[in-house]
Amino acid sequence: MPSEDYYDIEEFPEDYTGYDGAEVWNFIHKRIAFEGYAYDDDHWKADFNKAVSGLHSMISAQIVRGIQERVDSGEGFSEDEQWTDPVVEFNRRLGADGETSLALENLYFCYMLLLTAASKARERLLQDCNTGKIDEKAAEALRPILASSLLEDANVKVAYNKLHDHAVKDSDSMASLWEARLRTRDLQRIMNCVQCNKCRLHGKIAAMGLSTAFQILVGRTGEGGDPDRVHRVELAALMESVDKFSRAIQTCHMMQSKE
């Protein structure tokens, strides 16, 4: 049962709630993302912005999936729910001619970073599985993911390689990495402003997952942090975020097949 400090995400799964988080996302893109960096700028801050946009894309895909599930179930929509057509919402939120033309590219970019972080944390996670620090049910679900060849795919590591090269390219870049830690903390804190309880819960998990990925991939020096020093809750958020992104991409494939 949930308490003030704990929620079982199997009991409180992602769902379409009709909540409009536009104000929160506007704040994130204007105040937490870094201003003054073009999409393909040769700087880690541009990569950070792509990852944040990818997080937004993932949540947009969750919404689209929820609308589609509502349609498929025949449950219908209330008069207050403004988004009722999954195809329209997919094209608006994630389509090439939608509000963010590179939304899908950003989704994949962030997913690749999360997968690479999971790869770097694999030995720590397997050790926790084998020593009982992760319960057996979760360990059974986790081991096949950690054994996936996708985690070692060179194509998946392209996003990380770009981020790493930008982070360590010169002394100024390395000296500014403290800002990544600050911004990822801000990203987690801003989720407290989400007024929908379920949306807040899953937003916090995803924000912590992205923060953990940057902690492992970049760290304080650009060469990455030690996964053995990462808190188990952060690792859990990382792996849950990998799953969220995987399902988001499946949703996008499904919607693209309808076109």
Side-chain angles (χ1 to χ4, degrees):
M1 294 294 292
S3 70
E4 291 182 356
D5 300 314
Y6 170 78
Y7 288 87
D8 184 341
I9 58 174
E10 291 186 349
E11 186 176 348
F12 294 90
E14 298 164 353
D15 191 15
Y16 174 57
T17 66
Y19 174 72
D20 185 353
E23 289 188 7
V24 174
W25 280 112
N26 286 337
F27 182 90
I28 289 171
H29 289 299
K30 291 179 180 179
R31 301 293 296 275
I32 295 179
F34 292 97
E35 292 184 337
Y37 291 89
Y39 187 80
D40 285 322
D41 276 358
D42 185 25
H43 201 286
W44 69 262
K45 291 183 178 180
D47 299 328
F48 180 91
N49 291 350
K50 289 180 189 178
V52 170
S53 182
L55 182 68
H56 192 176
S57 296
M58 182 273 290
I59 292 176
S60 292
Q62 289 179 350
I63 292 170
V64 171
R65 184 179 69 249
I67 297 171
Q68 183 66 61
E69 289 174 349
R70 187 81 68 85
V71 171
D72 293 343
S73 70
E75 181 180 345
F77 301 88
S78 70
E79 294 181 357
D80 296 331
E81 291 174 326
Q82 57 180 314
W83 308 315
T84 60
D85 188 324
V87 175
V88 169
E89 287 308 310
F90 174 78
N91 290 331
R92 179 174 74 86
R93 297 167 182 267
L94 296 162
D97 297 322
E99 295 174 350
T100 305
S101 61
L102 295 172
L104 287 182
E105 183 172 332
N106 294 332
L107 176 69
Y108 279 98
F109 183 84
C110 192
Y111 184 43
M112 292 159 70
L113 293 180
L114 292 169
L115 286 171
T116 306
S119 175
K120 290 181 177 294
R122 176 164 47 193
E123 293 304 317
R124 158 72 188 281
L125 288 165
L126 285 173
Q127 182 181 33
D128 286 355
C129 288
N130 295 334
T131 58
K133 291 183 178 179
I134 297 176
D135 69 74
E136 189 56 35
K137 180 182 178 181
E140 287 181 4
L142 188 57
R143 286 190 181 98
I145 298 172
L146 297 174
S148 171
S149 60
L150 192 62
L151 296 186
E152 295 302 324
D153 192 316
N155 292 320
V156 168
K157 295 184 178 181
V158 167
Y160 163 67
N161 292 337
K162 178 182 290 188
L163 172 63
H164 170 266
D165 291 348
H166 290 163
V168 301
K169 71 173 184 174
D170 54 41
S171 58
D172 288 341
S173 296
M174 289 186 285
S176 65
L177 288 174
W178 64 270
E179 295 182 70
R181 298 191 297 276
L182 180 63
R183 297 296 176 103
T184 54
R185 291 193 194 105
D186 289 343
L187 183 62
Q188 294 180 68
R189 291 190 184 110
I190 194 62
M191 292 300 169
N192 289 321
C193 296
V194 174
Q195 298 302 303
C196 163
N197 290 339
K198 185 175 288 188
C199 305
R200 186 188 313 121
L201 169 64
H202 287 279
K204 282 186 172 184
I205 292 170
M208 182 180 289
L210 180 58
S211 175
T212 304
F214 268 84
Q215 182 180 348
I216 292 172
L217 298 177
V218 177
R220 296 179 178 275
T221 66
E223 297 296 345
D226 182 357
D228 289 339
R229 298 176 65 87
V230 177
H231 195 282
R232 58 180 300 192
V233 172
E234 294 173 311
L235 289 174
L238 171 65
M239 298 311 298
E240 177 62 22
S241 297
V242 167
D243 181 64
K244 287 178 182 294
F245 272 78
S246 177
R247 287 183 285 114
I249 289 171
Q250 290 175 357
T251 296
C252 292
H253 288 170
M254 176 187 70
M255 300 308 300
Q256 288 171 324
S257 70
K258 294 176 180 289
E259 297 179 352

